[in-house]
Amino acid sequence: MKHKPFFRFLCTITLWFYSIAIVQAGQVVTSDQRDWAKQALAQEANLGTIESSQSVAVLYFHNKTNQQRLNALQKGLALMLITDLSKIDTIFVVERIRIQALLDEMDIGESGLVDPATAPKVGKLLKAYYVVNGDIHDGSIEPLEIGSHLLDVPFKTVTNLPLTAGSLEDLFRMEKDLLFNIVEQLNIYVTPAQKKELEMPLSLSSAALLALFLGIDYSDKGMYSDAAEMYNRAITEDPGLKLAQDSLQELNNMGLVSSEDISRVEPEPEEIAVESGSGWGTV
């Protein structure tokens, strides 16, 4: 009995380190994440209330343009938002691989698309107070319009956030619009220094970003050689794209690709074309 306080302290420290590990995790869905997803679904009926109102999960966006080449944006926009929101130390952001593991376990991992009726359940399983997702549409004036929605999981209320619009070459700017709409809606205070950091784009190259997004999708499907090829193409388009470099290194460190897979490759003929005249290149 004397050891109970120490035991509670030890459990708290363990959970804290585990949470830090989740935030710092890479892009490969591991067996640990899959085991967690199985346990979460098995214990769904016994889940308690969500304690922290500062926890956020960003689900994948829906491509409603009927342009298959834009499917890469579904995970890509979520990835960019998760990467940026994770820089804000006053909120906890659910890691993307945890979301992917849960969607896989729910048999919706292939599409990754969560419908409005299922979103509260997903948020509760992820222990997220807020869930963000959105839609990608053909624009009436600009080529693309992207809208996002903020779901309050405990109260099951949805707030539609302002639209952002532009061409594919404006992707990095549109993501920042979405980001600051979320920050404002959640009443998150960011210092001028933090705002400046958040404004930094993941990449200015739409071709590099599309290649990165495709690499992430291949990795989720266990197609690690194809993922490495996409990461290599992303690095070729933008040698400073650190997330592509880290993701490629992760595959190498985990022994999921060969040394040949991690060598840099030149882009092949167009598979996804960034709008003509953009100067961004092709993937």
Side-chain angles (χ1 to χ4, degrees), residues 152-217:
D152 184 312
V153 175
F155 293 96
K156 297 183 180 180
T157 57
V158 177
T159 301
N160 294 322
L161 303 182
L163 289 170
T164 182
S167 64
L168 194 55
E169 65 188 51
D170 296 322
L171 180 60
F172 68 92
R173 190 265 303 162
M174 289 190 285
E175 185 269 336
K176 297 303 179 186
D177 290 343
L178 297 172
L179 170 66
F180 287 109
N181 287 339
I182 296 167
V183 168
E184 181 178 356
Q185 184 63 36
L186 293 179
N187 292 316
I188 299 171
Y189 172 74
V190 292
T191 66
Q194 287 176 319
K195 187 173 187 293
K196 187 175 181 180
E197 182 182 5
L198 291 173
E199 287 173 342
M200 292 293 293
L202 189 62
S203 174
L204 292 174
S205 168
S206 296
L209 289 172
L210 288 170
L212 170 65
F213 303 159
L214 289 170
I216 296 292
D217 191 47

Side-chain angles (χ1 to χ4, degrees), residues 90-110:
T90 55
I91 59 173
F92 172 77
V93 184
V94 179
E95 231 292 330
R96 192 200 68 83
I97 55 172
R98 173 160 285 210
I99 296 171
Q100 183 64 44
L102 181 62
L103 298 183
D104 285 342
E105 193 61 27
M106 295 173 69
D107 292 326
I108 52 178
E110 183 70 22

Side-chain angles (χ1 to χ4, degrees), residues 199-239:
E199 287 173 342
M200 292 293 293
L202 189 62
S203 174
L204 292 174
S205 168
S206 296
L209 289 172
L210 288 170
L212 170 65
F213 303 159
L214 289 170
I216 296 292
D217 191 47
Y218 280 134
S219 178
D220 289 343
K221 295 172 181 175
M223 303 166 65
Y224 300 119
S225 293
D226 292 317
E229 181 181 355
M230 286 297 109
Y231 294 148
N232 274 315
R233 292 191 190 187
I235 296 167
T236 299
E237 291 289 343
D238 180 359

